[in-house]
Each structure stands twice: as C-alpha cells, then as structure tokens.
Amino acid sequence: MNPPVLVGEGLVKRFGARAVVDGVDMRVGAGEIVTLIGPNGAGKSVLLKIMLGLIAPDSGRVTRAQGLRVGYMPQRLSPDPNLPMPVARFVGLAGRLPPGEIDAALDLAGALDLRAAPLSALSGGELQRVLLARALVRKPGLLALDEPAQGVDVTGQDALYALVARLRDTLGCAVLLVSHDLHLVMARSDRVLCLNGHVCCTGKPEAVGRDPAFAALFGPRAGESLALYRHHHDHVHDAHGHVHPHPHGEGHRHG
C-alpha cells in the first residue's frame, strides 16, 4: 500500500440537523487515483473540501503529508463575458509565475493552443482543460478535481479522464476525484469510495461494483455495466480482430 498523502478520520459535517458527512474515514495514497462517487446530495463535494481544508468538519480530523502541494480544480466556473481575460493570464493568477511555467501547465492539460483565447469564449471542454492547467501549475503532489467533466460531452469526458490518468503516471501525483460518471471514471480509478452521507462501500472498482450497497444506490445492473466498460478499456482490437494491450495502459493499473 502506498504511503498516505491525505487521511481523514471520523469526519462529520452537519448543515442544520442533517449530517451531510457522517463518520467518514478515508485515505489517499501517494500516486493513487481515488474517486468519490454517490448520488446527488451524497456529500461528495463537501467531503472533498473538508479533506482539502476548505471546510472545517464538526468532528474528526484530517492529516496531510508534510509539505503537500495541492492543485484544486473546482466544480464550476462561470467566466464573466464582460471581463475578457486571456487564458494565460487566468492560469497565472495561481501565483507569480514565469510564462514558461504557465505554458508548460497548459501543454500538460492539452490547452496550449488556447493560451491567448478569452476565457469567456471557451467551450465547456476547453474551459475544463484550462482549469486543469491552473491546478497543474502548482506542481501538485495531490490533484483534487471536483466533477471535472461537467458540461463536457461523453467523448470529451472519456478523453479528460484518460488525460488525468496519464498525468498521474507522468507526474507521479495522487489524484482525488469527485464524479457521478460511474463507468467512465471508475474504469480509471485505483480505488473508489461510494458515499451517501456515510461510506456505503470502498475498495478496488471491481469489488465495489459487486457490492450490494453499490447496487442499492445505482441499480442491480450497474456492476455488470462497469465490468463490461472496464473490459473494453483493458485492450484494443486491430483491423484483423487480434487483441493487443491498450497503447496507453488503460485498465492495467486498476486492480
């Protein structure tokens, strides 16, 4: 097991009489992709913000590795169309950074060609890549992404999650991800935590997909669909029907 970079113990957060996060334990290991899944209102984003220190829990504690740098991609951003800020300047707001570091982060996120574009003119997928670049410019040991594929079509979502997996491999950073795109994101996760206020189930994606608690939340066929989706990402078929390992290794680090 990889040494932890982030650990939460006994986390509770109430809004009024309701415990949105109720007695949650979780850990994120170095170089690991951990995904929080669950229905709307399950407390996923609240838990992420508690783990990052953006919200204080009512009880419990969070421990972070010493010197841990975090790159955070928020759930949504609505650029003001009356404020025509170029992409490079927006990414540079993360700190006083030389243009070379800004361009390097944009390049990693596949958004270098957008550096001069007005932020308000970007499509949903382009904006998400720019937000990802802004998180990467901090050279994080932990990349925290809250619903990173919002406003992106299914093809774009798949490409974005594949990019996140490649960034983990390239940079060696841990990734803590919140998503409702069950099959897309679980196929590229090392470990999954299924949340509905409390932890319903947690473990490797295949084990979570077989857990009765997972079926209770997402339906009895959800686990079967996940197994099929992960099968398709483990390999590719050439023009002759022969099977080869996936060229980017998708599926081979998840289990």
Side-chain angles (χ1 to χ4, degrees):
M1 183 177 290
N2 295 355
V5 297
L6 194 60
V7 177
E9 299 173 279
L11 299 174
V12 176
K13 184 64 182 179
R14 292 185 177 87
F15 293 113
R18 180 179 171 232
V20 178
V21 174
D22 191 6
V24 171
D25 295 332
M26 69 169 297
R27 71 184 298 280
V28 181
E32 184 180 36
I33 298 179
V34 176
T35 299
L36 304 178
I37 62 169
N40 290 335
K44 303 184 296 295
S45 293
V46 173
L47 177 58
L48 176 71
K49 290 174 182 176
I50 290 173
M51 295 294 286
L52 298 183
L54 301 174
I55 294 177
D58 293 321
S59 59
R61 66 174 185 169
V62 176
T63 306
R64 300 174 186 88
Q66 188 172 6
L68 179 67
R69 286 195 305 273
V70 177
Y72 173 51
M73 181 175 169
Q75 187 173 109
R76 55 176 64 90
L77 176 74
S78 300
D80 186 343
N82 299 311
L83 188 65
M85 181 182 292
V87 162
R89 185 179 171 198
F90 171 74
V91 173
L93 293 176
R96 293 185 176 179
L97 300 165
E101 290 190 17
I102 294 171
D103 285 354
L106 285 167
D107 192 32
L108 278 172
L112 184 58
D113 59 330
L114 302 171
R115 70 178 320 279
L119 198 64
S120 59
L122 301 181
S123 69
E126 290 171 340
L127 180 59
Q128 297 306 85
R129 286 179 181 265
V130 168
L131 288 172
L132 180 57
R134 190 164 183 253
L136 290 170
V137 82
R138 293 177 53 83
K139 299 178 181 176
L142 172 69
L143 191 57
L145 311 174
D146 192 353
E147 298 279 12
Q150 273 202 349
V152 182
D153 63 25
V154 173
T155 301
Q157 290 170 18
D158 198 23
L160 185 63
Y161 291 130
L163 172 61
V164 169
R166 290 197 298 274
L167 287 170
R168 184 275 303 272
D169 294 341
T170 302
L171 304 176
C173 61
V175 178
L176 178 56
L177 182 64
V178 170
S179 182
H180 64 272
D181 305 307
L182 289 180
H183 304 148
L184 289 173
V185 74
M186 285 175 70
R188 291 189 170 90
S189 300
D190 296 310
R191 200 155 44 82
V192 176
L193 187 147
C194 185
L195 191 71
N196 194 16
H198 63 285
V199 177
C200 299
C201 50
T202 186
K204 294 182 179 181
E206 294 87 347
V208 168
R210 294 191 298 268
D211 196 295
F214 179 82
L217 277 181
F218 300 110
R221 303 299 297 273
E224 297 173 27
S225 300
L226 172 63
L228 179 63
Y229 189 86
R230 287 172 64 83
H231 166 81
H232 285 309
H233 278 74
D234 280 344
H235 61 265
V236 292
H237 298 264
D238 65 20
H240 305 289
H242 300 133
V243 175
H244 302 279
H246 196 288
H248 297 301
E250 273 85 344
H252 290 283
R253 293 192 57 164
H254 322 303

